[in-house]
């Protein structure tokens, strides 16, 4: 012991105490660090002095940068969601195995997906329509696919899968029901026009063939009779083409320049036309107690009112009565109403009468020179003038076709 001086023992004791104190302090700070690391992300880094202070400060800086990056990422994601949400089309983000990651509102509605319920589920488990499943599983996404009646009967959806990232797909869904309907209408229209022209053309070429092949054997009267019938068919085709051109102009032209229309002149023309067509078979009465003028297009109004009057003549058997009435309603609107005692229309047809080529009795319409376009023209003319057609009818008793024109078009006096 004499070799080991007391002062050395004291120094060692002091050093041991200092080291123990340092270790204890480090243990405390380490515990604080571990506790912090277990706290939720974003919890402030603990404070300390000295080396631990430097370490905590460095950690604090990293945590702040990470928080900022997270914030920016969150904002970018939010912006992406908002942009996708604002799109008129449905958008579904699919991960591996076609699992739904996210769908915008439109996609939820069009495909029946519910983000909160279906996230993570394969989309083909939610939308089980075979064509949809085949498209997604087929892997050929070069062209979009048209799907009919997926959720709602009669609805058509156009679906397109766009691959992106690693094995991910963005599914774009668009409601094309209206477009499909227009395309069907266009096809029907072309088919109808072709059919309407084909029938008279077949008759005319039949007569021409007969005349060419057998003109030596035909009497003058026979030949004349055939030429008369061929002429009637040619007139029918001309009438059809005129109506088609009128309708096409009404559909495509800008609204016509408005001008004051003298109703007395229009009504007189319409009555005259109906009288000629009737050839004395009907009693035709004109009651004019409406305003003298109307702001609109005289040619279009005359054509619309003329169509209503000629229909009344064509669909009223001989001996019937036809009343043409022009008057102002209590609401201020002006009305041109044609009432007949004719064959009338069954209620189920009424809503469709203004469709192009819609006829209750095709044969009767043709016999009387109809094209099936008259009421479509009337409807368009009235729409262009802000008006509407009102139809009331009883089969076997008669009909009332009333063209309503808005009060703002009425002219109490013609300048
Ligand atoms: P159409 O050239 O066949 O007369 P329209 O478009 O003018 O074509 O009329 C469509 C159909 O509406 C007619 O085919 C006919 O069945 C019915 N219709 C129109 N006006 C009358 C009427 N006054 N009385 C009975 N039926 C009518």
């Amino acid at each position: 012991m004499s070799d080991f001086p007391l002062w050395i023992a004291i120094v060692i004791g002091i050093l041991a105490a200092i080291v123990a104190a340092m270790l204890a302090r480090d243990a405390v700070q380490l515990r604080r660090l571990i506790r912090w690391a277990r706290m939720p992300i974003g919890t402030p880094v603990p404070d300390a002095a000295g080396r631990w202070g430097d370490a905590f400060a460095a950690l604090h800086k990293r945590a702040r940068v990470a928080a900022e990056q997270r914030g920016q990422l969150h904002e970018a994601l939010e912006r992406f969601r908002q942009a996708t949400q604002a799109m008129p089309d449905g958008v579904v983000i699919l991960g591996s195995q076609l699992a739904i990651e996210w769908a915008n509102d439109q996609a939820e509605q069009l495909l029946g997906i519910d983000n909160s319920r279906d996230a993570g589920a394969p989309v083909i488990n939610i939308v089980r329509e075979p064509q949809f499943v085949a498209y997604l599983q087929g892997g050929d996404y070069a062209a979009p696919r048209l799907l009919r009646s997926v959720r709602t009967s009669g609805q058509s959806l156009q679906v397109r899968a766009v691959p992106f990232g690693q094995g991910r797909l963005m599914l774009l869904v668009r409601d094309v029901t209206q477009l499909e309907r227009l395309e069907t209408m266009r096809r029907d229209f072309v088919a109808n026009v072709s059919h309407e022209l084909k029938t008279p053309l077949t008759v005319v070429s039949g007569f021409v063939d007969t005349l060419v092949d057998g003109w030596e054997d035909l009497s003058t009267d026979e030949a004349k009779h055939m030429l008369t019938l061929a002429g009637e068919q040619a007139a029918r085709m001309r009438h059809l083409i005129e109506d088609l051109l009128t309708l096409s102009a009404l559909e495509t032209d800008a609204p016509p320049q408005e001008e004051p229309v003298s109703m007395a002149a229009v009504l007189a023309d319409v009555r005259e036309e109906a009288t000629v067509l009737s050839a004395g078979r009907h009693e035709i009465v004109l009651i004019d107690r409406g305003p003298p003028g109307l702001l609109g297009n005289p040619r279009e109004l005359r054509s619309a009112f003329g169509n209503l009057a000629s229909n009344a003549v064509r669909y009223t058997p001989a001996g019937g009565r036809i009343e043409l009435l022009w008057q102002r309603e209590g609401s201020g609107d002006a009305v041109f109403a044609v009432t007949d005692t004719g064959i009338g229309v069954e209620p189920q047809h009424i809503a469709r009468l203004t469709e192009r080529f819609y006829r209750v009795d095709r044969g009767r319409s043709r016999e009387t020179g109809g094209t099936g376009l008259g009421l479509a023209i009337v409807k368009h003319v009235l729409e262009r003038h802000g008006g509407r057609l009102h139809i009331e009818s009883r089969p076997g008793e008669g009909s009332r076709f009333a063209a309503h024109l808005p009060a703002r078009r009425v002219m109490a006096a013609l300048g």
Side-chain angles (χ1 to χ4, degrees):
M1 275 303 269
S2 59
D3 296 348
F4 202 76
L6 182 61
W7 68 269
I8 291 180
I10 292 170
V11 168
I12 289 174
I14 291 169
L15 284 176
I18 290 170
V19 169
M22 282 172 69
L23 284 175
R25 194 195 58 185
D26 283 355
V28 169
Q29 299 296 11
L30 202 61
R31 255 202 315 278
R32 291 179 73 198
L33 182 63
I34 293 168
R35 208 179 314 132
W36 170 79
R38 286 182 180 150
M39 301 283 266
I41 288 174
T43 308
V45 183
D47 263 343
R51 284 182 305 128
W52 280 98
D54 294 343
F56 284 159
L59 267 177
H60 179 71
K61 198 171 163 201
R62 286 183 77 93
R64 208 187 55 228
V65 170
E68 273 170 17
Q69 283 174 346
R70 245 192 338 270
Q72 282 166 1
L73 212 62
H74 184 77
E75 265 177 35
L77 192 67
E78 200 43 41
R79 271 202 303 277
F80 167 75
R81 287 196 177 190
Q82 280 172 0
T84 320
Q85 201 63 272
M87 275 175 68
D89 295 347
V91 179
V92 190
I93 306 294
L94 301 176
S96 64
Q97 312 293 321
L98 303 174
I100 298 171
E101 288 187 359
W102 183 75
N104 69 356
D105 287 353
Q106 287 84 322
E108 286 196 300
Q109 199 242 324
L110 291 172
L111 295 176
I113 292 174
D114 179 341
N115 266 319
S116 52
R117 184 195 61 201
D118 303 328
V123 69
I124 50 175
N125 287 4
I126 311 297
V127 184
R128 291 166 178 269
E129 215 270 330
Q131 271 186 300
F132 178 78
V133 175
Y135 175 61
L136 283 187
Q137 287 183 332
D140 176 9
Y141 307 133
R145 180 72 59 93
L146 188 69
L147 306 175
R148 293 208 168 84
S149 303
V150 175
R151 282 193 77 206
T152 320
S153 99
Q155 189 184 43
S156 302
L157 299 181
Q158 190 190 59
V159 178
R160 175 162 214 163
V162 183
F164 76 103
Q166 282 183 345
R168 298 181 125 176
L169 282 181
M170 177 152 64
L171 205 59
L172 301 172
V173 190
R174 175 176 292 182
D175 185 351
V176 290
T177 314
Q178 201 54 26
L179 277 177
E180 279 279 291
R181 213 167 275 157
L182 283 176
E183 181 53 22
T184 310
M185 268 173 68
R186 194 191 60 79
R187 270 199 301 266
D188 288 354
F189 182 66
V190 172
N192 270 320
V193 172
S194 314
H195 179 77
E196 294 291 332
L197 285 173
K198 200 173 157 209
T199 316
L201 209 55
T202 310
V203 177
V204 171
S205 56
F207 284 141
V208 171
D209 288 348
T210 313
L211 284 166
V212 169
D213 294 343
W215 65 274
E216 287 142 335
D217 309 325
L218 290 170
S219 70
T220 316
D221 279 352
E222 281 171 331
K224 202 172 165 191
H225 179 63
M226 281 188 187
L227 286 170
T228 309
L229 292 180
E232 278 170 14
Q233 296 301 321
R236 201 177 126 193
M237 284 189 277
R238 200 186 57 237
H239 193 181
L240 177 66
I241 286 165
E242 279 165 7
D243 274 3
L244 281 171
L245 290 175
T246 306
L247 201 54
S248 149
L250 288 172
E251 280 175 347
T252 50
D253 286 2
Q257 200 97 51
E258 290 177 358
E259 57 181 280
V261 178
S262 156
M263 282 308 293
V266 170
L267 294 172
D269 277 359
V270 170
R271 196 226 318 241
E272 173 64 17
E273 192 184 292
T275 308
V276 169
L277 191 64
S278 160
R281 287 173 299 134
H282 308 92
E283 181 195 353
I284 298 178
V285 185
L286 169 65
I287 304 170
D288 177 3
R289 51 171 180 244
L294 207 56
L295 210 54
N297 182 281
R299 204 170 40 82
E300 289 185 10
L301 290 171
R302 223 204 61 75
S303 149
F305 295 170
N307 262 310
L308 295 182
S310 78
N311 276 356
V313 172
R314 289 168 48 231
Y315 297 105
T316 301
R321 182 176 190 272
I322 292 160
E323 182 189 282
L324 314 174
L325 170 70
W326 172 238
Q327 69 174 9
R328 201 156 181 188
E329 301 272 276
S331 61
D333 287 0
V335 177
F336 175 72
V338 180
T339 310
D340 64 49
T341 55
I343 59 172
V345 182
E346 303 265 351
Q348 71 270 25
H349 297 293
I350 290 185
R352 299 196 59 190
L353 294 184
T354 55
E355 285 177 25
R356 297 182 287 192
F357 295 116
Y358 191 87
R359 291 126 150 174
V360 176
D361 178 346
R362 199 166 272 267
R364 181 166 187 136
S365 160
R366 286 227 184 91
E367 271 166 34
T368 56
T371 59
L373 296 173
L375 291 181
I377 292 175
V378 173
K379 182 183 158 205
H380 272 286
V381 169
L382 292 179
E383 273 174 6
R384 279 159 72 89
H385 286 80
R388 71 197 154 81
L389 180 67
H390 187 77
I391 306 172
E392 285 166 46
S393 191
R394 276 172 193 275
E397 289 183 28
S399 316
R400 182 176 187 269
F401 285 73
H404 289 248
L405 289 139
R408 65 186 156 82
R409 297 206 165 266
V410 170
M411 296 176 73
L414 277 173

